[in-house]
Amino acid sequence: MGKQITFKRESEMPMISVSLGDMEWNKTGAWRTQRPFYEEKTPPCSAACPAGNDISGFILKTAKGDWEGAWNLIREENPFPGVCGRVCFHPCESKCNRGSFDEPIAIHALERFVADFAPRLSKKTGKAGEKRKEKVAIIGSGPAGMSSAYHLARLRYDVTVFESFPLAGGMLRMGIPSYRLPRDVLDRELSNIEALGVEIRTGISLGEHLKLEDLKDYQAIFLSTGAHRSRGLHIQGEKEKGVLSGLDLLKKMNLSKRIKMGEKIAIIGGGNTAIDVARSVIRLGKKATILYRRSREEMPAFEDEILEALEEGVKIRYLVNPIRVGQKDGPKRLECLRMELSEKDESGRRRPVPIPHSNLFIDADYVVIAAGEEIGASFLPEGAEKREGIVLTRRDGSTGIKGVFAGGDLASNQRTVAHAIGSGKKAAMAIDAFLQGKDAEEVIIQHLIGEGPSLSIFGYLHPGERLRNPHVVTFEELNMDYFEPAKRQGESKSAVKERIKGFNEVSSTLSEGVALEEAERCFGCGTCNECENCYVFCPDGSILKREELFSHQVDYDYCKGCGICFTECPRGAISLKEEAK
Amino acid sequence: MRRVITGNQAVAYGVILSRVDVVSAYPITPQTTIVEELSELIASGRLKTRFLKVESEHSAMAALIGASTGGVRTFTATSSHGLAYMHEMLHWASGARLPIVLVNVNRAIGPPWNIWGDQSDSVSQRDTGWIQLYCENNQEVLDTILQAYLIAETVRLPVMVVLDAFVLSHTAEPVEIPSIEEADSLLPPFCPDYPIDTQEPRSYSVITTPDYFLEFRYKVQKAMEEVPEVAKKVDDEFRSRFGRSYGAIERYGKKEAELLLMTSGTVTSTSRIVIKKLMEKGLSVAGIKIKRFRPFPSEEICEVIQGAKKIAVIDRNLSAGVGGIFAQELRASLYSREERPQVFGFVSGLGGRDITPALIEEAVQYTVEHPQPEGDILWLGLKK
Amino acid sequence: MIEIRFHGRGGQGAVVASKVLAVAFFHEGLYVQSFPAFGVERRGAPVMAFLRVDPEPIQLRVNIYEPDHIIVLDPTLIAAVDVTSGLKPNGWVLINSAHPPKTFQTLKGYRIATIDATSIAIRNGLGSRTNPIVNTAILGAFSKVSGLVGVDSIALSIREEVPGKKNENAKAAREAYNEVKY
């Protein structure tokens, strides 16, 4: 380090004003009144992800071509990237800050890409190490149960999953047609969980083959049996032959059972099950008509699904409500009333009301009722309370019975795959806390993403590593000077006439080039991607690049706290705070 | 080798013989053919010099400031508005003590638009800290460029070599061109004081507080004060090798003359004829050629004006509100002397108008006939 | 001192002619000063070029107002500009023309010479048929009529100063030397 040089005489001075030494003696950091620091914050996508994926993290790795790193990062939170990349309704994308600029990132497509590409490069997931002595039983091998099993196995518990169906996967296998979720993708991700040492016992139904009392060897139990019972319409003729619930029909199809259903199928309902049934029926070469009592706007099915169904030839009749299934045998004649919409109900949708004397008849060979699902909870032990059709749990997922936790569709009305995965993760953390004598609620509050309810297990599994500030980055906090508009890249879909020939997947995985382009669109809200703006703009050369560090460091000996790095950071990964006085 | 070449070609030869490393320039009449000649030579690979294309004279000088700081020999040429556009960077070059050589082909500054000879462009840069050397013929142009690098690199100040538009720049006459070996023997390679070195990074021209700024300017002035001695040594060295020398000034004509005619540039050349003719007529006259305008050769002038009663100065420039600048500088030089000849300040030939022998004679006649001038500015050839 | 003025049109090569003639004199041991009319040149517009020659170094650095001789590269200029302006009495007026000198009797008080430099240029493939380059040929004629400079010096100068078709240009000068009428 040089010293300050002072000149007493002109003759001592150099010819020109040139530096003769360094200025390191001048610790300008002492002038600072505010301190910049690298602080990763929560991107809105992650906060909106019910499964708690580190979305900006995995996209950053994807943008660098690190497929495997991206895949592993998703799987820190969620063992089902291949499933979620296909069937998740991606609430992350509607919260994506890029949507305020041009179009949101195609997060689901990137997740699917990573899940499809990385395993080709990766070795099988290693075992979680020596198991603890505690055993955990999980009832139900759907996304909630398997997510829980996965994380508990990573926490080194001895986990056994009991499944009533002959195959694992729960609603992923029974409820979702394979043109949306190819079975090899599901099987791959389930087997990755099994590879961690999770045992799945199929064909064992709680209540029928197994009672809770039989599970005394297990120190904790997670109930994730789902909602498998179809709601009835409570109309005349719905129990007759030739009438089936949507879920039961899907189960039969997914277990490859043959069903005699004639040519013209009427499907009653406006949810995803109704659409799944209609599109499956179309693929069997039949005609499908959906009858929905409200209008298109109120339809709860995902918009993309509705559009694809219409493309494939599904007919949808709005504002009709069946009141009777006529004819016991043979072709059915549905008697319906025309409806009109009145004021909004408690769900925020306009309530359908019948138009008097508007009766009409619709003929069909087969009628499918897809009016929603509810839990079947005959096995529920005493002490487990039910309310509004679900098992009542505390914030940590615990039921009234000590050591028994519940999650997934069984304990929630938000019945999506991502919510189920998130609740399984929460149960894993709560069960671990319970078994280790920690305060489960406290653990959960500490690991919320943003303000929750999504949870991250990463910090729980890797204490002290890269914790994000829960602050959710807003669009206004980003610096748009550094982004150019770029078109959103989506998956391509196969042609309609190819699609309806069978149950092959409708959309295809992104190519590597397209995935890179799309990943590069990500703002990386609150996530340093080493763009080096701070390094370039710092007028004092006080940003230190460190190879071994993920991001940069501020040299507080010389940083004057001008805040330029904070202003010029495109993605809000730098914070500024008042210097302690 | 002796060849018939224009003044601008003489400049190009000077640059080639000085083994300039970097040229950056922007074309402007009447300088254009200098840049054409050099860029063609460089483009053809015959001249191993880097030519930096720029969008303006300001950038040309800025580019050379960078190159010269980096430790290489640099050259540019311009005229008139181009020189004016460089003004800020001219200060920078001298303040940074960079031995850049610039050729300015004297041209009037508009409006009215005018492309012809007039010294107002270069003399108005007199306060930028540049050495200024004016030339009388094409031989002197070439020789002065060689000398300019030697002076510049000795005192660490930039040098402006000045020649008249068209009368020299586009006029071909015989010029003796030294060989590259002869030029090399005069001019050693440039060794910078503070070269850019990635192993030892430096800040250049950093902000300097009032604590030290005065001292840096003092050093510039001291360097200027070294110029007369250094330039004389260079000129002597040049004479010993090439048999030609120029001095800071040149006195010609009658010894101990009562009337002196002071001129610069090509007017001197024509004046030689007039002085000779008037001497033959019996007039006690002599001429003084001012080659070095900055630093102004006050001492050299005072040494050669003993006994003179009057000095007629012909200025091909005008500082409006004052008059001809050479006359003004002369007056300032004489002020501290006990013996002060009358200074007759003629302004003539602006915007390229010919300063003919008849006009010069008219100036001398006026000076002979008047005990003192009728004003600070005597307009010569004005259409009254 | 001899002062010569060239009249041509922009693009005809009057400036080059002045320079070539200067170098020819230079080779004969004389001091020269060759310069264009200072200013802008436009193709087709009347232009001038000048030459001073003297056994002593030339100190005079002003325009030529009273030339000793003039050389006219394009005969149409005679009607367009006052080509003999300032021309000293008995000076040569050398005109590029196929016509005999007496055609130009209006130019009184001067010696007139003509040379069909255009035909010579075309014959030697200099320039194009529509735009022949006549500036070298006419110098050969000047050598003959003025007797101031040898045609060999002009040929030598052409070889040094003219960028292309050196042989053809030199040949044109020699042919003009032989064909000039005066």
Side-chain angles (χ1 to χ4, degrees), chain A residues 480-520:
Chain A
M480 284 307 119
D481 293 346
Y482 298 103
F483 300 102
E484 295 281 339
K487 198 163 170 47
R488 171 184 162 109
Q489 307 284 337
E491 300 131 312
S492 54
K493 289 177 189 169
S494 46
V496 170
K497 66 177 183 192
E498 292 302 318
R499 280 192 227 160
I500 60 175
K501 281 181 186 166
F503 283 77
N504 284 339
E505 194 167 15
V506 169
S507 63
S508 55
T509 308
L510 298 181
S511 70
E512 287 169 271
V514 171
L516 266 180
E517 267 182 54
E518 185 60 15
E520 280 168 4

Side-chain angles (χ1 to χ4, degrees), chain C residues 152-163:
Chain C
D152 290 343
S153 300
I154 286 173
L156 176 61
S157 170
I158 285 170
R159 286 174 198 283
E160 285 177 7
E161 298 293 325
V162 176

Side-chain angles (χ1 to χ4, degrees), chain A residues 5-21, chain B residues 95-97 156 193-194 202-206 208 212 215-216 218-219:
Chain A
I5 305 169
T6 50
F7 301 108
K8 293 233 163 57
R9 273 178 290 277
E10 170 271 327
S11 56
E12 299 168 356
M13 288 170 55
M15 183 176 72
I16 55 171
S17 59
V18 65
S19 56
L20 299 176
Chain B
R97 306 295 297 276
R156 296 303 198 238
D193 298 279
Y194 300 98
R202 287 194 183 94
S203 295
Y204 292 86
S205 301
V206 292
T208 300
Y212 295 124
E215 283 69 24
F216 283 117
Y218 173 82
K219 284 171 183 290

Side-chain angles (χ1 to χ4, degrees), chain A residues 153-229:
Chain A
R154 296 172 75 210
L155 288 159
R156 299 189 287 115
Y157 290 99
D158 188 349
V159 182
T160 309
V161 181
F162 298 92
E163 169 57 53
S164 63
F165 282 101
L167 291 167
M171 202 59 96
L172 297 176
R173 191 180 299 277
M174 295 305 150
I176 300 177
S178 58
Y179 64 83
R180 283 175 59 201
L181 176 58
R183 293 308 181 243
D184 59 329
V185 173
L186 176 60
D187 291 342
R188 189 173 69 215
E189 297 195 329
L190 287 171
S191 69
N192 282 344
I193 299 170
E194 283 184 282
L196 292 171
V198 172
E199 187 192 349
I200 305 174
R201 294 193 201 162
T202 55
I204 298 174
S205 173
L206 187 64
E208 200 177 326
H209 309 104
L210 187 73
K211 307 230 171 337
L212 276 184
E213 301 88 82
D214 302 335
L215 299 170
K216 290 228 162 56
D217 285 352
Y218 297 89
Q219 282 71 47
I221 298 169
F222 178 50
L223 301 173
S224 54
T225 53
H228 283 272
R229 271 185 27 188

Side-chain angles (χ1 to χ4, degrees), chain A residues 388-409:
Chain A
E388 290 170 8
I390 57 168
V391 171
L392 202 63
T393 52
R394 297 194 197 93
R395 189 170 187 173
D396 61 358
S398 60
T399 65
I401 311 165
K402 196 176 177 194
V404 176
F405 296 76
D409 289 358

